Amino acid sequence: MKSEKRKGYIAGLLSAATFGLIPLFTVPLMRYGMATETILIYRFAFATLMVAVVMIVKGISFREGWKHLRVLLALSTLYFCSAFFLINGYHVMPSGVATVIHFMYPLMVALLMFLFFKQKMTPRALVSLVVAFAGVVLLSGVLATDGILVRLIDMGWVAFSGFCYAVYIIVVNKSTVGQIPKWRLTFYLMLFCTVFFILLAIAENSLVLPPDTSSWGLLFLLGLVPTVISNLFLVLAIPRIGSTATSIMGVLEPLTAVVVGVLVLGERLTLSNAVGMVAILAAVALLVSEKGEKV
């Protein structure tokens, strides 16, 4: 039992750490001049192909009924918006700051469950929301003389990416898609997202081939590491340690993004930004640690 829990904790940490590496692959591609939608086309296309290969090897059927496909289409739309607005945020603010704002989604889940499903809002949840709001204010730079000023509208769009992911989680929990094998669910999500981004790129006239071998490599790693591998470790972690413990370790996602941004991508991190990020991470950890250990 201890061995299984140890494996679960390791898998949870690896899931969070690999997801936090998204800026490591996307920011250099944006600096090469690649549009957001083009980057995401290749990210999800590579992920779709990898998942399809796994399904073929495991003998998992691709057949799915129209009832579930309609829900999958809605989920893919939410996933599409979440990915698009998060990576767009990397254009206008440090990647670590954008990732932390996006990571407010557990708080949004709690708020939405309270508003629409009458789930009790505990004092701890209320404190978490207040602390998170204070963190957003600090992140905006409006209270600092040397901070990185981030426009509220830009923060709003990145927060919307977290909101879309929060709705995505709720729909997964409240709909019948839980009956779909995880690999098939992932395959259709990645496939539909690829189609959405292709249509957007055609409309924006921004669909281009990667400029060099290095770009191809970054796109392949973007599809593999923070997409397929991250989801695989997530699937391994939850049954062993529960969703609560896995969510707590998810705090490593934005921390990884901050470290990558500062040490690898040369982004600035001021005291105001650092305190704001710590406040949001503390708020999320306070919320997700409220329930029992294995839920």
Side-chain angles (χ1 to χ4, degrees):
M1 182 63 70
K2 289 184 178 180
S3 176
E4 284 300 302
K5 291 192 68 173
R6 188 180 302 112
K7 291 178 181 178
Y9 283 117
I10 293 173
L13 290 170
L14 290 174
S15 174
T18 50
F19 187 83
L21 292 176
I22 288 179
L24 179 64
F25 307 116
T26 55
V27 173
L29 290 166
M30 290 189 296
R31 290 175 179 174
Y32 290 159
M34 292 190 69
T36 300
E37 52 269 25
T38 302
I39 294 172
L40 291 170
I41 286 172
Y42 290 104
R43 175 191 176 186
F44 288 112
F46 277 128
T48 301
L49 290 173
M50 292 178 219
V51 173
V53 170
V54 172
M55 290 178 66
I56 292 171
V57 171
K58 288 179 169 288
I60 301 173
S61 172
F62 290 88
R63 186 187 298 272
E64 191 53 71
W66 174 242
K67 176 184 176 182
H68 285 158
L69 284 175
R70 285 182 296 179
V71 182
L72 285 169
L73 191 61
L75 287 172
S76 300
T77 303
L78 292 168
Y79 208 97
F80 159 83
C81 292
S82 180
F84 179 75
F85 288 111
L86 173 59
I87 294 186
N88 258 347
Y90 295 162
H91 284 287
V92 294
M93 66 184 75
S95 58
V97 174
T99 306
V100 171
I101 295 173
H102 170 82
F103 194 69
M104 290 173 61
Y105 70 82
L107 302 173
M108 297 178 188
V109 169
L111 186 59
L112 289 171
M113 292 297 291
F114 169 74
L115 293 175
F116 295 101
F117 296 96
K118 307 305 179 184
Q119 181 171 300
K120 184 179 178 182
M121 179 69 74
T122 64
R124 180 180 293 198
L126 289 173
V127 171
S128 297
L129 290 172
V130 172
V131 173
F133 177 77
V136 170
V137 172
L138 289 169
L139 276 179
S140 70
V142 297
L143 300 181
T145 57
D146 63 341
I148 302 170
L149 186 62
V150 179
R151 295 192 308 167
L152 290 179
I153 189 170
D154 294 328
M155 295 181 66
W157 284 120
V158 176
F160 181 67
S161 77
F163 172 80
C164 290
Y165 195 69
V167 176
Y168 166 85
I169 291 174
I170 292 174
V171 173
V172 169
N173 288 335
K174 295 295 182 179
S175 69
T176 59
V177 295
Q179 303 168 7
I180 305 173
K182 295 298 186 290
W183 283 107
R184 189 189 302 159
L185 171 64
T186 303
F187 171 78
Y188 280 107
L189 284 174
M190 300 297 105
L191 177 63
F192 288 152
C193 283
T194 302
V195 173
F196 291 158
F197 282 114
I198 288 175
L199 294 175
L200 179 60
I202 292 174
E204 297 287 338
N205 196 28
S206 60
L207 182 57
V208 296
L209 288 173
D212 51 34
T213 305
S214 174
S215 298
W216 279 106
L218 287 170
L219 289 166
F220 175 79
L221 291 172
L222 180 62
L224 175 64
V225 179
T227 309
V228 175
I229 291 179
S230 180
N231 278 288
L232 174 61
F233 281 126
L234 189 67
V235 170
L236 293 173
I238 291 176
R240 289 174 170 82
I241 60 174
S243 57
T244 297
T246 305
S247 297
I248 293 172
M249 287 185 293
V251 173
L252 190 60
E253 294 174 15
L255 291 180
T256 302
V258 169
V259 171
V260 168
V262 174
L263 298 183
V264 181
L265 303 176
E267 297 174 344
R268 288 180 58 206
L269 181 64
T270 66
L271 178 60
S272 174
N273 300 140
V275 173
M277 287 188 289
V278 169
I280 291 177
L281 297 177
V284 173
L286 185 66
L287 177 69
V288 300
S289 62
E290 183 174 25
K291 298 179 181 179
E293 181 180 356
K294 190 76 180 288
V295 295

